Coordinates of all heavy atoms in Angstrom, one line a residue:
M981 N 26.0 -11.0 -16.7 CA 25.0 -11.1 -17.7 C 23.8 -11.9 -17.1 O 22.7 -11.7 -17.4 CB 25.6 -11.7 -18.9 CG 24.6 -11.9 -20.0 SD 24.0 -10.3 -20.7 CE 23.0 -10.9 -21.9
E982 N 24.2 -13.0 -16.4 CA 23.2 -13.9 -15.8 C 22.4 -13.2 -14.7 O 21.1 -13.5 -14.6 CB 23.8 -15.1 -15.3 CG 24.5 -16.1 -16.3 CD 25.9 -15.6 -16.6 OE1 26.5 -14.9 -15.8 OE2 26.4 -16.0 -17.7
K983 N 23.0 -12.4 -14.0 CA 22.2 -11.6 -12.9 C 21.2 -10.7 -13.5 O 20.1 -10.6 -13.1 CB 23.1 -10.8 -12.0 CG 24.0 -11.7 -11.1 CD 24.8 -10.8 -10.3 CE 25.7 -11.6 -9.3 NZ 26.5 -10.7 -8.5
G984 N 21.6 -10.0 -14.7 CA 20.7 -9.1 -15.4 C 19.5 -9.8 -15.9 O 18.4 -9.4 -15.9
L985 N 19.8 -11.0 -16.5 CA 18.7 -11.8 -17.1 C 17.7 -12.3 -16.0 O 16.5 -12.3 -16.2 CB 19.3 -13.0 -17.9 CG 18.3 -13.8 -18.7 CD1 17.6 -12.9 -19.7 CD2 19.0 -15.0 -19.4
L986 N 18.3 -12.6 -14.8 CA 17.5 -13.2 -13.8 C 16.6 -12.0 -13.2 O 15.4 -12.3 -13.0 CB 18.4 -13.7 -12.6 CG 17.6 -14.2 -11.4 CD1 16.8 -15.4 -11.7 CD2 18.7 -14.6 -10.3
I987 N 17.2 -10.9 -13.1 CA 16.4 -9.7 -12.7 C 15.3 -9.3 -13.7 O 14.1 -9.0 -13.3 CB 17.3 -8.4 -12.5 CG1 18.2 -8.8 -11.2 CG2 16.6 -7.2 -12.2 CD1 19.3 -7.7 -11.0
L988 N 15.6 -9.4 -14.9 CA 14.6 -9.1 -16.0 C 13.4 -10.1 -15.9 O 12.3 -9.7 -16.0 CB 15.2 -9.2 -17.4 CG 14.3 -9.0 -18.5 CD1 13.8 -7.6 -18.6 CD2 15.0 -9.4 -19.9
V989 N 13.8 -11.4 -15.8 CA 12.8 -12.4 -15.7 C 11.9 -12.2 -14.5 O 10.7 -12.3 -14.5 CB 13.3 -13.8 -15.8 CG1 12.3 -14.9 -15.5 CG2 13.9 -14.0 -17.2
S990 N 12.6 -11.9 -13.4 CA 11.9 -11.7 -12.1 C 10.9 -10.6 -12.2 O 9.7 -10.7 -11.7 CB 12.8 -11.6 -10.9 OG 13.7 -12.6 -10.8
V991 N 11.3 -9.5 -12.8 CA 10.5 -8.3 -12.9 C 9.2 -8.6 -13.8 O 8.1 -8.2 -13.5 CB 11.2 -7.1 -13.4 CG1 10.3 -5.9 -13.8 CG2 12.3 -6.6 -12.3
L992 N 9.5 -9.3 -14.9 CA 8.4 -9.7 -15.8 C 7.4 -10.6 -15.2 O 6.2 -10.4 -15.3 CB 9.0 -10.2 -17.1 CG 9.7 -9.4 -18.1 CD1 10.3 -10.1 -19.2 CD2 8.8 -8.3 -18.5
V993 N 7.8 -11.5 -14.3 CA 7.0 -12.4 -13.6 C 6.1 -11.6 -12.6 O 4.9 -11.8 -12.5 CB 7.7 -13.5 -13.0 CG1 6.9 -14.3 -11.9 CG2 8.2 -14.5 -14.0
I994 N 6.8 -10.7 -11.9 CA 6.0 -9.9 -10.9 C 5.0 -9.0 -11.5 O 3.9 -8.9 -11.1 CB 7.0 -9.1 -10.1 CG1 7.8 -10.0 -9.2 CG2 6.3 -8.1 -9.2 CD1 9.0 -9.4 -8.4
V995 N 5.4 -8.4 -12.6 CA 4.4 -7.6 -13.4 C 3.3 -8.4 -13.9 O 2.1 -7.9 -13.9 CB 5.2 -6.7 -14.5 CG1 4.2 -6.1 -15.4 CG2 6.1 -5.7 -13.8
A996 N 3.6 -9.6 -14.4 CA 2.5 -10.4 -15.0 C 1.5 -10.9 -13.9 O 0.3 -10.9 -14.0 CB 3.1 -11.7 -15.6
L997 N 2.0 -11.2 -12.6 CA 1.2 -11.5 -11.6 C 0.3 -10.3 -11.1 O -0.8 -10.6 -10.8 CB 2.0 -12.0 -10.4 CG 2.7 -13.4 -10.5 CD1 3.6 -13.8 -9.4 CD2 1.6 -14.5 -10.7
I998 N 0.9 -9.2 -11.0 CA 0.2 -8.0 -10.7 C -0.9 -7.8 -11.7 O -2.1 -7.4 -11.3 CB 1.0 -6.8 -10.5 CG1 1.9 -6.9 -9.3 CG2 0.2 -5.5 -10.4 CD1 3.0 -5.9 -9.1
N999 N -0.6 -7.8 -12.9 CA -1.6 -7.7 -14.1 C -2.7 -8.7 -13.9 O -3.9 -8.3 -14.0 CB -0.9 -7.8 -15.4 CG -1.8 -7.4 -16.6 OD1 -2.8 -6.7 -16.3 ND2 -1.6 -8.0 -17.7
F1000 N -2.4 -9.9 -13.7 CA -3.4 -11.0 -13.6 C -4.3 -10.7 -12.3 O -5.5 -10.8 -12.5 CB -2.7 -12.4 -13.4 CG -3.7 -13.5 -13.1 CD1 -4.4 -14.0 -14.3 CD2 -3.8 -14.1 -11.9 CE1 -5.3 -15.0 -14.1 CE2 -4.7 -15.1 -11.7 CZ -5.5 -15.6 -12.8
S1001 N -3.7 -10.3 -11.3 CA -4.6 -10.0 -10.1 C -5.5 -8.8 -10.3 O -6.6 -8.8 -9.8 CB -3.7 -9.9 -8.9 OG -2.9 -8.7 -9.0
V1002 N -5.0 -7.7 -11.0 CA -5.8 -6.6 -11.2 C -6.9 -6.9 -12.1 O -8.1 -6.5 -12.0 CB -4.9 -5.5 -11.8 CG1 -5.8 -4.3 -12.4 CG2 -4.0 -4.9 -10.8
I1003 N -6.7 -7.7 -13.1 CA -7.8 -8.1 -14.1 C -8.8 -9.0 -13.3 O -10.0 -8.8 -13.6 CB -7.2 -9.0 -15.2 CG1 -6.4 -8.0 -16.2 CG2 -8.3 -9.6 -16.1 CD1 -5.7 -8.6 -17.3
R1004 N -8.4 -9.8 -12.4 CA -9.3 -10.6 -11.6 C -10.2 -9.7 -10.7 O -11.3 -9.9 -10.4 CB -8.6 -11.6 -10.8 CG -7.9 -12.7 -11.6 CD -8.7 -13.8 -11.9 NE -9.3 -14.4 -10.8 CZ -9.8 -15.6 -10.7 NH1 -10.0 -16.2 -11.9 NH2 -10.3 -16.1 -9.7
L1005 N -9.5 -8.6 -10.1 CA -10.2 -7.7 -9.2 C -11.3 -6.9 -10.0 O -12.2 -6.4 -9.4 CB -9.2 -6.7 -8.6 CG -8.5 -7.4 -7.4 CD1 -7.5 -6.4 -6.8 CD2 -9.5 -7.7 -6.2
L1006 N -11.2 -6.7 -11.2 CA -12.2 -5.9 -12.0 C -13.5 -6.7 -12.0 O -14.6 -6.0 -12.1 CB -11.7 -5.8 -13.5 CG -10.6 -4.8 -13.7 CD1 -10.2 -4.8 -15.1 CD2 -11.0 -3.4 -13.2
K1007 N -13.5 -7.9 -11.8 CA -14.7 -8.8 -11.8 C -15.4 -8.9 -10.4 O -16.4 -9.6 -10.3 CB -14.5 -10.1 -12.5 CG -14.0 -10.0 -13.8 CD -13.6 -11.3 -14.5 CE -13.0 -11.3 -15.7 NZ -12.5 -12.5 -16.3
V1008 N -14.7 -8.4 -9.4 CA -15.3 -8.5 -8.0 C -16.2 -7.5 -7.7 O -16.2 -6.4 -8.2 CB -14.0 -8.4 -7.0 CG1 -14.4 -8.4 -5.6 CG2 -13.0 -9.5 -7.3
D1009 N -17.3 -7.8 -6.9 CA -18.3 -6.8 -6.6 C -17.7 -5.7 -5.7 O -16.6 -5.8 -5.1 CB -19.5 -7.5 -6.0 CG -19.1 -8.3 -4.7 OD1 -18.0 -8.7 -4.6 OD2 -20.0 -8.4 -3.8
E1010 N -18.5 -4.6 -5.7 CA -18.0 -3.4 -5.1 C -17.8 -3.5 -3.6 O -16.8 -2.8 -3.0 CB -19.0 -2.2 -5.3 CG -18.5 -0.9 -5.1 CD -17.3 -0.5 -5.9 OE1 -17.2 -0.9 -7.1 OE2 -16.4 0.2 -5.4
E1011 N -18.5 -4.3 -2.9 CA -18.3 -4.5 -1.4 C -16.9 -5.1 -1.1 O -16.3 -4.7 -0.1 CB -19.4 -5.3 -0.8 CG -20.8 -4.7 -0.8 CD -21.6 -4.9 -2.1 OE1 -21.3 -5.8 -2.8 OE2 -22.4 -4.0 -2.4
K1012 N -16.6 -6.1 -1.9 CA -15.3 -6.8 -1.7 C -14.1 -5.8 -2.0 O -13.1 -5.8 -1.4 CB -15.2 -8.0 -2.6 CG -15.8 -9.2 -1.8 CD -15.3 -10.4 -2.6 CE -15.6 -11.7 -1.8 NZ -15.2 -12.9 -2.3
K1013 N -14.4 -4.9 -3.1 CA -13.3 -4.0 -3.4 C -13.2 -3.0 -2.3 O -12.0 -2.6 -2.0 CB -13.7 -3.2 -4.7 CG -13.6 -4.1 -6.0 CD -14.0 -3.3 -7.2 CE -14.0 -4.0 -8.4 NZ -14.5 -3.3 -9.6
A1014 N -14.3 -2.6 -1.7 CA -14.0 -1.6 -0.6 C -13.3 -2.2 0.6 O -12.5 -1.6 1.2 CB -15.5 -1.2 -0.2
H1015 N -13.6 -3.6 0.8 CA -12.9 -4.3 1.9 C -11.4 -4.3 1.5 O -10.6 -4.1 2.4 CB -13.5 -5.6 2.0 CG -12.8 -6.5 3.1 ND1 -12.8 -6.3 4.4 CD2 -12.0 -7.6 2.9 CE1 -12.1 -7.1 5.0 NE2 -11.6 -7.9 4.1
Y1016 N -11.1 -4.7 0.3 CA -9.7 -4.9 -0.1 C -9.0 -3.5 0.0 O -7.8 -3.4 0.4 CB -9.6 -5.3 -1.5 CG -10.1 -6.8 -1.7 CD1 -10.5 -7.3 -2.9 CD2 -9.9 -7.7 -0.7 CE1 -10.8 -8.6 -3.0 CE2 -10.3 -9.1 -0.8 CZ -10.8 -9.4 -2.0 OH -11.1 -10.8 -2.2
R1017 N -9.7 -2.4 -0.3 CA -9.1 -1.1 -0.2 C -8.8 -0.7 1.2 O -7.7 -0.3 1.6 CB -10.0 0.0 -0.8 CG -10.0 0.1 -2.2 CD -10.8 1.3 -2.7 NE -11.4 1.0 -4.1 CZ -12.6 0.7 -4.4 NH1 -13.5 0.8 -3.5 NH2 -12.9 0.6 -5.7
K1018 N -9.8 -1.1 2.1 CA -9.5 -0.9 3.5 C -8.3 -1.6 4.1 O -7.5 -1.1 4.8 CB -10.7 -1.2 4.3 CG -10.8 -0.7 5.7 CD -12.1 -0.8 6.3 CE -12.6 0.3 7.1 NZ -12.4 1.7 6.8
V1019 N -8.2 -2.9 3.7 CA -7.1 -3.7 4.1 C -5.8 -3.1 3.5 O -4.8 -3.1 4.2 CB -7.3 -5.2 3.7 CG1 -6.0 -6.0 3.9 CG2 -8.5 -5.8 4.5
F1020 N -5.9 -2.7 2.3 CA -4.7 -2.1 1.7 C -4.2 -0.9 2.4 O -3.0 -0.8 2.7 CB -4.9 -1.7 0.2 CG -3.9 -0.9 -0.4 CD1 -2.6 -1.4 -0.8 CD2 -4.1 0.5 -0.5 CE1 -1.6 -0.6 -1.3 CE2 -3.1 1.3 -1.0 CZ -1.9 0.8 -1.4
W1021 N -5.0 0.0 2.8 CA -4.6 1.2 3.6 C -4.1 0.9 4.9 O -3.2 1.5 5.4 CB -5.8 2.2 3.6 CG -6.1 2.9 2.4 CD1 -7.1 2.9 1.5 CD2 -5.1 3.8 1.7 NE1 -6.9 3.7 0.4 CE2 -5.7 4.3 0.6 CE3 -3.8 4.3 2.0 CZ2 -5.1 5.2 -0.3 CZ3 -3.2 5.3 1.2 CH2 -3.8 5.6 0.0
Y1022 N -4.7 -0.2 5.6 CA -4.2 -0.5 6.8 C -2.7 -1.1 6.6 O -1.8 -0.7 7.4 CB -5.0 -1.6 7.5 CG -6.1 -1.0 8.3 CD1 -7.4 -1.4 8.1 CD2 -5.9 -0.1 9.4 CE1 -8.5 -0.9 8.8 CE2 -7.0 0.4 10.0 CZ -8.3 0.0 9.8 OH -9.3 0.5 10.5
F1023 N -2.5 -2.0 5.7 CA -1.2 -2.5 5.4 C -0.2 -1.4 5.1 O 0.9 -1.4 5.5 CB -1.3 -3.6 4.3 CG 0.0 -4.1 3.8 CD1 0.7 -5.1 4.6 CD2 0.5 -3.6 2.6 CE1 1.9 -5.5 4.2 CE2 1.8 -4.2 2.2 CZ 2.4 -5.2 3.0
Y1024 N -0.6 -0.5 4.3 CA 0.2 0.6 3.8 C 0.7 1.5 5.0 O 1.8 1.9 5.1 CB -0.5 1.4 2.7 CG 0.4 2.5 2.0 CD1 1.4 2.2 1.2 CD2 0.2 3.9 2.4 CE1 2.2 3.1 0.7 CE2 0.9 4.8 1.9 CZ 2.0 4.5 1.0 OH 2.7 5.4 0.4
G1025 N -0.3 1.8 5.8 CA 0.0 2.7 7.0 C 0.9 1.9 8.0 O 1.8 2.6 8.5
V1026 N 0.7 0.7 8.3 CA 1.6 -0.1 9.1 C 3.0 -0.2 8.5 O 4.0 0.0 9.2 CB 1.0 -1.5 9.4 CG1 2.0 -2.4 10.1 CG2 -0.3 -1.4 10.3
L1027 N 3.0 -0.5 7.2 CA 4.3 -0.5 6.6 C 5.1 0.8 6.6 O 6.3 0.8 6.9 CB 4.2 -1.0 5.2 CG 5.4 -1.3 4.4 CD1 6.1 -2.6 5.0 CD2 5.1 -1.6 2.9
F1028 N 4.3 1.8 6.3 CA 5.0 3.2 6.3 C 5.5 3.5 7.8 O 6.5 4.1 8.0 CB 4.0 4.1 5.9 CG 4.5 5.2 5.0 CD1 5.2 5.0 3.8 CD2 4.5 6.6 5.4 CE1 5.7 6.0 3.1 CE2 4.9 7.6 4.7 CZ 5.6 7.3 3.5
S1029 N 4.6 3.2 8.8 CA 5.0 3.6 10.2 C 6.2 2.8 10.6 O 7.1 3.3 11.2 CB 3.8 3.3 11.1 OG 2.7 4.1 10.8
I1030 N 6.2 1.4 10.3 CA 7.3 0.6 10.8 C 8.6 1.0 10.0 O 9.7 1.1 10.7 CB 7.0 -0.9 10.4 CG1 5.9 -1.3 11.4 CG2 8.3 -1.7 10.5 CD1 5.4 -2.7 11.1
S1031 N 8.5 1.3 8.8 CA 9.7 1.8 8.1 C 10.3 3.2 8.6 O 11.5 3.2 8.9 CB 9.4 2.0 6.6 OG 10.4 2.5 5.9
G1032 N 9.4 4.0 9.0 CA 9.9 5.3 9.6 C 10.4 5.0 11.0 O 11.5 5.6 11.3
L1033 N 9.8 4.1 11.8 CA 10.3 3.9 13.2 C 11.6 3.2 13.1 O 12.5 3.6 13.9 CB 9.3 3.1 13.9 CG 9.6 2.7 15.4 CD1 9.6 4.1 16.1 CD2 8.5 1.8 16.0
I1034 N 11.8 2.2 12.2 CA 13.1 1.6 12.1 C 14.2 2.4 11.7 O 15.3 2.4 12.2 CB 12.9 0.3 11.2 CG1 12.1 -0.7 11.8 CG2 14.3 -0.2 10.7 CD1 11.7 -2.0 11.0
N1035 N 13.9 3.3 10.7 CA 14.9 4.2 10.3 C 15.2 5.2 11.4 O 16.4 5.6 11.5 CB 14.4 5.0 9.0 CG 14.5 4.1 7.7 OD1 15.4 3.2 7.7 ND2 13.6 4.3 6.9
L1036 N 14.2 5.7 12.2 CA 14.5 6.6 13.2 C 15.4 5.9 14.3 O 16.4 6.5 14.8 CB 13.2 7.0 13.9 CG 12.6 8.3 13.4 CD1 11.3 8.6 14.0 CD2 13.5 9.5 13.5
L1037 N 15.1 4.6 14.6 CA 15.9 3.9 15.7 C 17.3 3.5 15.2 O 18.2 3.4 16.0 CB 15.1 2.8 16.2 CG 13.7 3.0 16.9 CD1 13.1 1.8 17.3 CD2 14.0 3.9 18.1
E1038 N 17.3 3.2 13.9 CA 18.6 2.8 13.3 C 19.7 3.9 13.3 O 20.9 3.6 13.5 CB 18.4 2.1 11.9 CG 19.5 1.5 11.3 CD 19.2 0.8 10.1 OE1 19.3 1.5 9.0 OE2 18.8 -0.3 10.0
K1039 N 19.3 5.0 12.9 CA 20.2 6.2 12.8 C 20.3 6.8 14.2 O 19.5 6.8 15.0 CB 19.6 7.2 11.9 CG 19.2 6.8 10.5 CD 20.4 6.3 9.7 CE 19.8 5.9 8.3 NZ 20.7 5.1 7.6
N1040 N 21.5 7.2 14.6 CA 21.8 7.7 15.8 C 21.5 9.2 15.9 O 21.6 9.8 17.0 CB 23.3 7.5 16.2 CG 23.6 6.0 16.5 OD1 22.6 5.3 16.8 ND2 24.8 5.7 16.3
E1041 N 21.2 9.8 14.7 CA 20.9 11.3 14.8 C 19.4 11.4 14.4 O 18.7 10.6 13.8 CB 21.7 12.0 13.7 CG 21.6 11.4 12.4 CD 22.6 11.8 11.4 OE1 23.8 11.8 11.8 OE2 22.3 12.1 10.3
F1042 N 18.8 12.6 14.8 CA 17.5 12.9 14.5 C 17.3 13.3 13.0 O 18.1 14.1 12.5 CB 17.0 14.1 15.4 CG 15.6 14.5 15.2 CD1 14.6 13.8 15.6 CD2 15.4 15.7 14.4 CE1 13.2 14.3 15.3 CE2 14.1 16.2 14.1 CZ 13.0 15.4 14.6
N1043 N 16.4 12.7 12.4 CA 16.1 13.0 10.9 C 14.7 13.3 10.8 O 13.8 12.5 11.1 CB 16.6 11.9 10.1 CG 16.7 12.2 8.7 OD1 16.1 13.2 8.2 ND2 17.5 11.4 7.9
L1044 N 14.3 14.5 10.2 CA 13.0 15.0 10.1 C 12.2 14.1 9.0 O 11.0 13.9 9.3 CB 13.0 16.4 9.8 CG 11.6 17.1 9.7 CD1 11.0 17.1 11.1 CD2 11.7 18.5 9.2
I1045 N 12.8 13.6 8.1 CA 12.2 12.9 7.0 C 11.6 11.6 7.6 O 10.5 11.2 7.3 CB 13.3 12.5 5.9 CG1 13.7 13.8 5.2 CG2 12.6 11.6 4.9 CD1 12.8 14.6 4.5
F1046 N 12.4 10.9 8.4 CA 11.9 9.6 9.0 C 10.8 9.9 10.0 O 9.9 9.1 10.1 CB 13.1 8.9 9.6 CG 14.1 8.4 8.7 CD1 15.4 8.5 9.0 CD2 13.7 8.0 7.4 CE1 16.4 8.2 8.0 CE2 14.7 7.6 6.4 CZ 16.1 7.7 6.8
L1047 N 10.9 11.0 10.8 CA 9.8 11.3 11.7 C 8.5 11.7 10.9 O 7.5 11.3 11.3 CB 10.3 12.5 12.6 CG 9.2 13.0 13.6 CD1 9.0 11.8 14.6 CD2 9.7 14.2 14.2
L1048 N 8.7 12.4 9.8 CA 7.5 12.7 9.0 C 7.0 11.4 8.4 O 5.7 11.3 8.3 CB 7.9 13.6 7.8 CG 6.9 14.0 6.9 CD1 5.8 14.9 7.7 CD2 7.4 14.9 5.8
Q1049 N 7.8 10.5 8.1 CA 7.3 9.2 7.5 C 6.5 8.4 8.6 O 5.5 7.9 8.3 CB 8.5 8.4 7.0 CG 8.1 7.0 6.4 CD 9.4 6.2 5.9 OE1 10.5 6.7 6.1 NE2 9.2 5.1 5.3
L1050 N 7.0 8.4 9.9 CA 6.3 7.8 10.9 C 4.9 8.5 11.2 O 3.9 7.8 11.3 CB 7.1 7.8 12.2 CG 6.5 7.2 13.4 CD1 6.3 5.8 13.3 CD2 7.4 7.6 14.6
V1051 N 4.9 9.8 11.1 CA 3.7 10.6 11.4 C 2.6 10.3 10.3 O 1.5 10.2 10.5 CB 4.0 12.1 11.6 CG1 2.7 13.0 11.6 CG2 4.8 12.3 12.9
V1052 N 3.1 10.3 9.1 CA 2.2 10.1 7.9 C 1.6 8.7 8.0 O 0.4 8.4 7.8 CB 2.9 10.3 6.6 CG1 2.1 9.8 5.4 CG2 3.2 11.8 6.5
G1053 N 2.5 7.7 8.4 CA 1.9 6.3 8.5 C 0.9 6.2 9.6 O -0.1 5.5 9.4
I1054 N 1.1 6.8 10.7 CA 0.1 6.9 11.8 C -1.1 7.6 11.4 O -2.2 7.2 11.7 CB 0.7 7.4 13.1 CG1 1.9 6.5 13.6 CG2 -0.3 7.7 14.1 CD1 2.6 7.0 14.7
A1055 N -0.9 8.7 10.6 CA -2.1 9.5 10.2 C -3.0 8.6 9.2 O -4.2 8.6 9.3 CB -1.7 10.8 9.4
I1056 N -2.3 7.9 8.3 CA -3.0 6.9 7.4 C -3.8 5.9 8.2 O -5.0 5.7 7.9 CB -2.1 6.3 6.4 CG1 -1.6 7.3 5.4 CG2 -2.8 5.2 5.6 CD1 -0.5 6.8 4.5
L1057 N -3.3 5.4 9.2 CA -3.9 4.4 10.0 C -5.2 5.0 10.7 O -6.2 4.4 10.8 CB -3.0 3.8 11.1 CG -2.0 2.8 10.5 CD1 -0.9 2.5 11.6 CD2 -2.6 1.6 10.0
V1058 N -5.0 6.2 11.3 CA -6.1 6.8 12.0 C -7.1 7.2 11.1 O -8.4 7.0 11.4 CB -5.5 8.0 12.9 CG1 -6.7 8.9 13.3 CG2 -4.6 7.6 14.0
L1059 N -6.8 7.8 9.9 CA -7.8 8.2 9.0 C -8.6 7.1 8.4 O -9.8 7.1 8.2 CB -7.2 9.1 7.9 CG -6.7 10.4 8.3 CD1 -6.0 11.1 7.1 CD2 -7.9 11.4 8.8
N1060 N -7.9 6.0 8.2 CA -8.5 4.8 7.7 C -9.5 4.2 8.7 O -10.7 3.7 8.5 CB -7.5 3.7 7.3 CG -8.2 2.6 6.5 OD1 -9.2 2.7 5.9 ND2 -7.6 1.4 6.5
F1061 N -9.1 4.2 10.0 CA -9.9 3.7 11.1 C -11.2 4.6 11.2 O -12.2 4.0 11.5 CB -9.1 3.7 12.4 CG -10.0 3.2 13.6 CD1 -10.2 1.8 13.7 CD2 -10.4 4.1 14.5 CE1 -10.9 1.3 14.8 CE2 -11.2 3.7 15.6 CZ -11.4 2.3 15.8
L1062 N -11.0 5.9 11.1 CA -12.1 6.8 11.2 C -13.1 6.8 10.0 O -14.1 7.4 10.0 CB -11.7 8.2 11.5 CG -11.0 8.4 12.8 CD1 -10.5 9.8 12.9 CD2 -11.9 8.0 14.0
G1063 N -12.6 6.1 8.9 CA -13.4 6.1 7.6 C -13.3 7.2 6.8 O -14.1 7.5 5.9
K1064 N -12.3 8.0 6.9 CA -12.0 9.2 6.1 C -11.4 8.9 4.7 O -11.4 9.7 3.8 CB -11.2 10.3 6.8 CG -11.7 10.7 8.1 CD -13.1 11.5 7.9 CE -13.6 12.0 9.2 NZ -14.9 12.6 9.1
I1065 N -10.7 7.7 4.7 CA -10.0 7.3 3.4 C -10.9 6.3 2.8 O -10.7 5.1 3.1 CB -8.6 6.7 3.7 CG1 -7.7 7.8 4.4 CG2 -8.0 6.3 2.4 CD1 -6.4 7.2 4.7
E1066 N -11.9 6.6 2.0 CA -12.8 5.8 1.4 C -12.9 6.3 0.0 O -13.4 7.5 -0.3 CB -14.2 5.7 2.0 CG -14.1 5.0 3.4 CD -15.5 4.8 4.0 OE1 -16.5 5.1 3.3 OE2 -15.5 4.4 5.0
T1067 N -12.5 5.5 -1.0 CA -12.7 5.9 -2.4 C -14.0 5.4 -3.0 O -14.4 4.2 -2.7 CB -11.5 5.3 -3.3 OG1 -11.5 3.9 -3.1 CG2 -10.2 6.0 -2.8
I1068 N -14.7 6.2 -3.6 CA -16.0 5.9 -4.2 C -15.8 5.9 -5.7 O -15.3 6.8 -6.3 CB -17.1 6.8 -3.8 CG1 -17.3 6.9 -2.2 CG2 -18.4 6.6 -4.4 CD1 -18.1 8.0 -1.7
N1069 N -16.3 4.8 -6.3 CA -16.2 4.7 -7.7 C -17.2 5.7 -8.4 O -18.4 5.6 -8.2 CB -16.6 3.3 -8.2 CG -16.2 2.9 -9.6 OD1 -15.9 3.8 -10.3 ND2 -16.3 1.7 -9.9
P1070 N -16.6 6.6 -9.2 CA -17.5 7.7 -9.8 C -18.4 7.1 -10.9 O -19.4 7.8 -11.2 CB -16.5 8.7 -10.3 CG -15.3 8.0 -10.5 CD -15.2 6.9 -9.5
T1071 N -18.1 6.0 -11.4 CA -19.0 5.4 -12.5 C -20.3 4.8 -11.9 O -21.2 4.6 -12.6 CB -18.1 4.5 -13.3 OG1 -17.7 3.3 -12.5 CG2 -17.0 5.1 -14.0
L1072 N -20.2 4.5 -10.7 CA -21.4 3.8 -10.1 C -22.3 4.9 -9.5 O -22.0 5.8 -8.9 CB -21.0 2.9 -8.9 CG -20.1 1.7 -9.2 CD1 -19.9 0.9 -7.9 CD2 -21.0 0.8 -10.2
K1073 N -23.6 4.8 -9.9 CA -24.6 5.7 -9.5 C -25.5 5.1 -8.4 O -25.8 4.0 -8.5 CB -25.5 6.2 -10.6 CG -24.7 6.9 -11.7 CD -25.6 7.4 -12.8 CE -24.8 8.2 -13.9 NZ -25.6 8.6 -15.0
K1074 N -25.7 5.8 -7.4 CA -26.5 5.3 -6.3 C -28.0 5.5 -6.5 O -28.5 6.4 -7.1 CB -26.1 6.0 -5.0 CG -24.7 5.6 -4.5 CD -24.4 6.1 -3.3 CE -23.0 5.7 -2.8 NZ -22.6 6.2 -1.5

């Protein structure tokens, strides 16, 4: 029972922190948001690639899922570097 309560409180605290940070990000100007998105995609691509690589090396057998995960992570990194992953806010008019 204590473990369940600890997990519940931990999840609620994490969700509250994410909610607080998202609300704060709504007030940030568009250039900083674009920078944060770029950093997020780099972090996501690196995390995805490392996860796929570790799973490939940890298992002694070839697994297509982990290879696909590694390839997708590298593709995210390359596309972000080339500037192909850029989200534009549709509510802003140029």
